Amino acid sequence: MENKIEQLKEIIHDANQITFFTGAGISVASGIPDFRSVGGLYDEVSKKGMSPEYLLSTEYFQNDPLGFMDFCHEYLLFADKKPNAVHEWIADLEKEGKSLGVITQNIDGLHADAGSEQVDELHGTLNRFYCIECAQEYTKSDVIERDLRTCERCGGPLRPDIVLYGEMLNQSTIMNALNKIREADTLVVLGSSLVVQPAAGLISNFAGKNLVIINLDPTPYDHEADLVIHEDMVKVVEALNRIE
């Protein structure tokens, strides 16, 4: 792996406009199970005879807003999960002016928690909740610490600012992500299988110099990448930091 770390170091050093694209793998390193892995959300709720797609749908939220928020508290809100070395590395490169920002498929908000400011969250974020009646906003900390299920101002239903099954992705977010990819001279993919749309469609718009993929398992884009590292991404970043 040492040669690949050296190659990654050179690519990052020479790049001026890096865009990062992250998936569930980066959150796994912070202790948040992959959605469909053993111990993940699908596994846990399926064992109880519940449909994960229904519990994360607009239909369930509309039918039972309190039950939906109970589900969020039990399965989605991780008060003890913090950004890891990879989130921090991405945020640091943005602060240094080397990065255009990050596009993520994750809803945990850990990129923002790490200090990244230019974040396109394709599926929304659990860092924001809002009342669907009066539009009062709450942070994830508000909801967890005060054990909120309804709006403190008007008593209306609360929901997280995430894309539920049955909803469209935010088109402004998609366009921002697309522009980041098109403007990048280097695209670094971390912890994504690149099989879930819109990931694959977005990645195909990259026309820059270097495509880097760091993921434990192979992806459909490995053959197009300039550098592929099938290793634990935290170990990769820690090794990279040691030689800088």
Side-chain angles (χ1 to χ4, degrees):
M1 186 174 79
E2 190 173 334
N3 289 340
K4 290 193 173 186
I5 298 297
E6 290 285 353
Q7 187 180 348
L8 178 60
K9 178 186 176 183
E10 289 181 18
I11 288 172
I12 298 299
H13 179 268
D14 293 341
N16 295 306
Q17 292 183 297
I18 306 168
T19 291
F20 291 94
F21 188 101
T22 67
I26 191 173
S27 297
V28 170
S30 285
I32 298 175
D34 188 346
F35 212 48
R36 288 177 170 81
S37 67
V38 175
L41 175 64
Y42 266 63
D43 184 43
E44 289 300 307
V45 300
S46 296
K47 287 177 183 175
K48 297 183 179 181
M50 298 182 286
S51 164
E53 289 89 351
Y54 178 66
L55 293 172
L56 280 169
S57 71
T58 53
E59 183 182 359
Y60 180 48
F61 174 67
Q62 290 163 0
N63 290 341
D64 186 3
L66 288 178
F68 177 85
M69 283 299 293
D70 285 339
F71 165 74
C72 287
H73 276 277
E74 184 172 359
Y75 291 103
L76 299 181
L77 295 177
F78 299 99
D80 60 331
K81 305 307 181 188
K82 306 297 181 187
N84 59 60
V86 187
H87 293 103
E88 292 165 357
W89 175 61
I90 291 171
D92 288 345
L93 286 168
E94 183 184 316
K95 291 186 183 77
E96 293 169 16
K98 298 273 287 181
S99 168
L100 298 173
V102 57
I103 303 160
T104 187
Q105 297 169 281
N106 302 331
I107 61 174
D108 50 52
L110 292 181
H111 283 295
D113 292 347
S116 289
E117 295 183 4
Q118 301 302 318
V119 186
D120 293 313
E121 293 161 313
L122 298 176
H123 301 126
T125 178
L126 290 166
N127 277 359
R128 291 189 302 274
F129 282 71
Y130 63 92
C131 172
I132 65 167
E133 292 186 1
C134 75
Q136 174 71 23
E137 294 188 0
Y138 297 88
T139 66
K140 177 170 63 179
S141 296
D142 293 333
V143 172
I144 292 173
E145 290 168 9
R146 303 207 288 273
D147 199 29
L148 298 180
R149 302 298 197 278
T150 56
C151 177
E152 291 180 318
R153 178 197 281 176
C154 75
L158 286 185
R159 63 160 289 175
D161 192 8
I162 62 175
V163 180
L164 300 175
Y165 285 100
E167 294 179 330
M168 297 289 290
L169 298 182
N170 183 286
Q171 291 306 299
S172 176
T173 301
I174 294 293
M175 289 307 300
N176 286 341
L178 190 57
N179 288 335
K180 275 193 178 79
I181 288 173
R182 286 174 171 167
E183 293 170 11
D185 58 28
T186 300
L187 177 61
V188 180
V189 177
L190 292 148
S192 175
S193 62
L194 297 180
V195 295
V196 178
Q197 292 291 355
L202 289 171
I203 296 300
S204 64
N205 286 275
F206 176 65
K209 185 178 179 182
N210 287 299
L211 171 61
V212 177
I213 297 177
I214 305 173
N215 194 55
L216 281 176
D217 300 313
T219 81
Y221 283 81
D222 284 6
H223 68 284
E224 297 184 21
D226 300 278
L227 175 62
V228 177
I229 304 177
H230 291 152
E231 299 284 351
D232 181 292
M233 69 185 71
V234 172
K235 292 180 180 177
V236 170
V237 169
E238 288 174 346
L240 186 68
N241 289 336
R242 283 197 296 271
I243 63 173
E244 286 183 335

